[in-house]
Amino acid sequence: MSRFTVKDFKANKGGRIVMVTAYDYPSARLAEAAGVDAILVGDSVGTVVLGYGETQPVTLAEMVHHAKAARRGAGDTFLVADVPYLADATFERALASAERLLKEARADAVKIEGPKPELVERLVAAGVPVMGHLGLTPQTASQLGGYKVQGRDLKTAKKLLADARALEAAGAFALVLEMVPAPLAALITEELSIPTIGIGSGPGTDGQVLVFHDLLGLFEDFKPRFVKRYLEGAELFRAALKAYAEDVKSGRFPEEKHSFTLKDEVLSALKKGL
Ligand code: KIV
């Protein structure tokens, strides 16, 4: 049972929910120690950890593997796991995917990308806590014209609002809004009774989520404009690795304190026997 529960998400409507992604034991431990409200094992693992360049190739097996490791580090922090691309293509597949993520990986909830209210309704009826995800949905980015802000014109803004309402009616307990113009995200937030969690959607949502490797500067292939880097992690890591390499080459590492001793008599007996 996690500290933060589905009920707490709803109770924090109008508040400031803090969510961050994590994909393994150490990242989840760090997030847990920082006291975040929720950890998301996002399929962004495909981009920032597995090097696929996008999220589509991520498999359910990979999500379960990473969610299990994150769960071990997350303690009792609320943990949401993404259902990866096409692992929710039918209700039966979505339920089987949710079952693995909830029971095997012990996630508290799953996140389903895109406007799929009928699917969400059936999953919720089956007992699956579902977080929605609208706006820029990376699994279907190519259908949305690439990694672009969504809902900029009247037609698409109306659709986003309607999709958000439909997901709320379907029983989603919270909704991620990714790369939605700030005034539209604020309006959707006002219109819904469930909390919205924004990423690149301005300050008017009920919470924020960022990708672990983005906020710590560990992923350098590209930097979305909406990311605030709290650390230049890759620079620090590179400098440390360079120092290690130089120490090994120059003989500065290992020192005596990093080594184990052997009694002189053992060593001399050993040498005599050679
Ligand atoms: O996969 C992910 O990390 C996500 C967040 C960007 C919301 O879905």
Side-chain angles (χ1 to χ4, degrees):
M1 183 66 167
S2 64
R3 272 182 282 184
F4 212 73
T5 66
V6 165
K7 269 194 164 178
D8 294 313
F9 272 89
K10 293 186 178 165
N12 273 272
K13 177 72 191 170
R16 296 233 147 238
I17 298 165
V18 181
M19 187 159 84
V20 67
T21 69
Y23 313 100
D24 54 18
Y25 179 76
S27 57
R29 278 204 79 166
L30 290 168
E32 202 263 323
V36 300
D37 297 314
I39 289 174
L40 169 66
V41 185
D43 60 359
S44 50
V45 68
T47 314
V48 298
V49 174
L50 300 175
Y52 290 146
E54 54 198 358
T55 61
Q56 284 91 339
V58 176
T59 64
L60 181 64
E62 285 167 336
M63 285 307 303
V64 171
H65 175 77
H66 284 275
K68 280 167 94 169
R71 173 84 279 169
R72 289 191 283 269
D76 61 0
T77 301
F78 194 92
L79 192 122
V80 186
D82 265 349
V83 176
Y85 182 50
L86 293 183
D88 61 358
T90 63
F91 170 68
E92 287 70 27
R93 281 190 71 181
L95 186 60
S97 304
E99 184 174 358
R100 289 200 64 193
L101 292 165
L102 296 177
K103 290 172 73 174
E104 214 177 302
R106 294 187 296 122
D108 295 294
V110 300
K111 179 162 73 60
I112 300 270
E113 267 192 34
K116 300 170 188 158
E118 295 84 9
L119 176 69
V120 169
E121 190 168 7
R122 291 185 72 185
L123 287 172
V124 172
V128 178
V130 179
M131 178 178 277
H133 182 161
L134 292 176
L136 189 267
T137 44
Q139 291 175 10
T140 48
S142 65
Q143 283 112 291
L144 299 171
Y147 290 82
K148 287 186 182 150
V149 178
Q150 300 295 310
R152 277 203 144 142
D153 57 54
L154 184 59
K155 191 172 161 209
T156 55
K158 272 186 172 171
K159 180 166 175 358
L160 255 179
L161 179 56
D163 289 343
R165 285 190 172 128
L167 282 176
E168 170 173 74
F173 70 88
L175 177 64
V176 167
L177 291 174
E178 180 165 356
M179 288 183 79
V180 172
L184 176 58
L187 179 72
I188 293 173
T189 301
E190 260 174 52
E191 288 293 310
L192 299 189
S193 62
I194 56 169
T196 58
I197 301 178
I199 173 161
S201 298
T205 52
D206 302 305
Q208 296 291 325
V209 56
L210 276 181
V211 167
F212 185 92
H213 293 65
D214 285 342
L215 89 88
L216 295 177
L218 293 170
F219 182 72
E220 296 180 303
D221 293 7
F222 56 87
K223 179 181 173 291
R225 192 165 81 83
F226 57 78
V227 167
K228 179 171 174 183
R229 272 196 190 156
Y230 287 81
L231 189 73
E232 292 301 333
E235 271 175 31
L236 294 174
F237 279 30
R238 258 193 307 274
L241 288 164
K242 204 162 163 252
Y244 161 68
E246 282 166 7
D247 278 0
V248 172
K249 294 266 185 216
S250 67
R252 279 195 301 267
F253 176 82
E255 297 166 48
E256 210 179 315
K257 64 183 176 195
H258 305 121
S259 309
F260 304 96
T261 55
L262 183 65
K263 283 196 179 116
D264 285 347
E265 59 264 34
V266 176
L267 187 59
S268 48
L270 184 67
K271 283 182 174 168
K272 259 189 217 150
L274 289 180

